[in-house]
Amino acid sequence: DGGITQSPKYLFRKEGQNVTLSCEQNLNHDAMYWYRQDPGQGLRLIYYSQIVNDFQKGDIAEGYSVSREKKESFPLTVTSAQKNPTAFYLCASRPGGGLGNEQFFGPGTRLTVL
Amino acid sequence: QKEVEQDPGPLSVPEGAIVSLNCTYSNSAFQYFMWYRQYSRKGPELLMYTYSSGNKEDGRFTAQVDKSSKYISLFIRDSQPSDSATYLCAPYNTNAGKSTFGDGTTLTVKP
């Protein structure tokens, strides 16, 4: 069954701790994205990667880091430098290579920092 | 000023109503104009998209783009309670390889 998985669904962390959110896809998509969504707001782009071993900052990259060592995986680390990390985090992938511009989203991870 | 501005809502309509959802944008580099639908606490899913200016119809849904005025619309005919969701416009820049999302409009269709 092809798709994007994110884990965990809910995550609670203490202030000052780093936390890593998982995103895995088995769609063989080239591009992957991380977004943050706050209540009543749209999606804001954190980081994106169009190819393995390469990634670019989005609009709100400060306090976040990513890696893209494998095509199917794009983990996001929320560091202690992120001032207000409590939010709904969404991962997405896109085929790339001229195969379409639709983004396929995972179910999201809801992060709460106490 | 945001690159993409979406009519904020929320919007509440009776079942069977025609709904109009609208966005404006400022970046001329956008080439594809996507509409995503997001149910509560779920990831968005693509509803439909258009390329460049014009209309595209898919069942009860019509997407419309006017590049000269940088205006994007989604029309829903004969709205159903199952259409209740947040709708996000998301113009896509092919050269940059990314979309910019509007803030979304939350629609409630009452039986």
Side-chain angles (χ1 to χ4, degrees):
Chain A
D1 211 12
I4 301 177
T5 56
Q6 291 186 243
S7 61
K9 188 172 182 179
Y10 298 97
L11 189 55
F12 297 89
R13 279 295 180 267
K14 291 183 180 179
E15 197 170 337
Q17 287 183 332
N18 290 358
V19 61
T20 297
L21 281 58
S22 169
C23 178
E24 304 278 332
Q25 54 99 359
N26 61 5
L27 301 166
N28 199 35
H29 286 175
D30 289 327
M32 296 187 74
Y33 303 79
W34 272 107
Y35 295 92
R36 168 182 174 141
Q37 188 174 34
D38 293 284
Q41 295 191 32
L43 280 61
R44 291 186 289 168
L45 183 63
I46 304 173
Y47 269 98
Y48 64 112
S49 166
Q50 301 200 67
I51 197 168
V52 175
N53 292 322
D54 188 41
F55 50 82
Q56 291 81 38
K57 291 183 179 180
D59 301 317
I60 56 164
E62 186 175 350
Y64 300 97
S65 65
V66 294
S67 62
R68 186 86 188 278
E69 297 176 1
K70 298 187 293 183
K71 189 175 187 179
E72 59 269 26
S73 178
F74 192 40
L76 173 74
T77 297
V78 184
T79 75
S80 56
Q82 168 51 232
K83 299 301 179 192
N84 185 19
T86 294
F88 187 45
Y89 290 87
L90 287 158
C91 179
S93 69
R94 181 179 62 82
L99 296 176
N101 301 314
E102 176 184 356
Q103 292 184 45
F104 295 79
F105 284 85
T109 292
R110 195 165 295 275
L111 172 65
T112 302
V113 175
L114 306 171
Chain B
Q1 186 187 359
K2 290 183 178 180
E3 262 190 324
V4 179
E5 298 273 6
Q6 185 166 358
D7 288 355
L11 209 53
S12 181
V13 301
E15 184 174 352
I18 297 174
V19 176
S20 173
L21 305 169
N22 305 294
C23 294
T24 58
Y25 65 94
S26 57
N27 188 346
S28 299
F30 293 134
Q31 297 157 314
Y32 290 83
F33 301 89
M34 331 290 269
W35 282 96
Y36 288 84
R37 179 172 60 194
Q38 184 179 25
Y39 291 110
S40 182
R41 297 179 175 269
K42 303 287 187 186
E45 54 183 5
L46 183 69
L47 184 60
M48 59 190 304
Y49 73 92
T50 55
Y51 173 70
S52 195
S53 282
N55 291 2
K56 185 174 183 179
E57 189 173 317
D58 184 1
R60 297 183 294 108
F61 297 87
T62 299
Q64 194 172 77
V65 175
D66 182 347
K67 291 191 80 175
S68 63
S69 60
K70 295 187 174 64
Y71 199 80
I72 311 165
S73 297
L74 178 70
F75 299 97
I76 307 174
R77 291 185 300 281
D78 187 25
S79 55
Q80 302 294 309
S82 58
D83 296 331
S84 297
T86 296
Y87 292 81
L88 299 152
C89 64
Y92 181 81
N93 183 335
T94 304
N95 293 333
K98 59 177 182 171
S99 277
T100 300
F101 283 79
D103 283 345
T105 301
T106 298
L107 171 67
T108 302
V109 181
K110 297 184 176 180

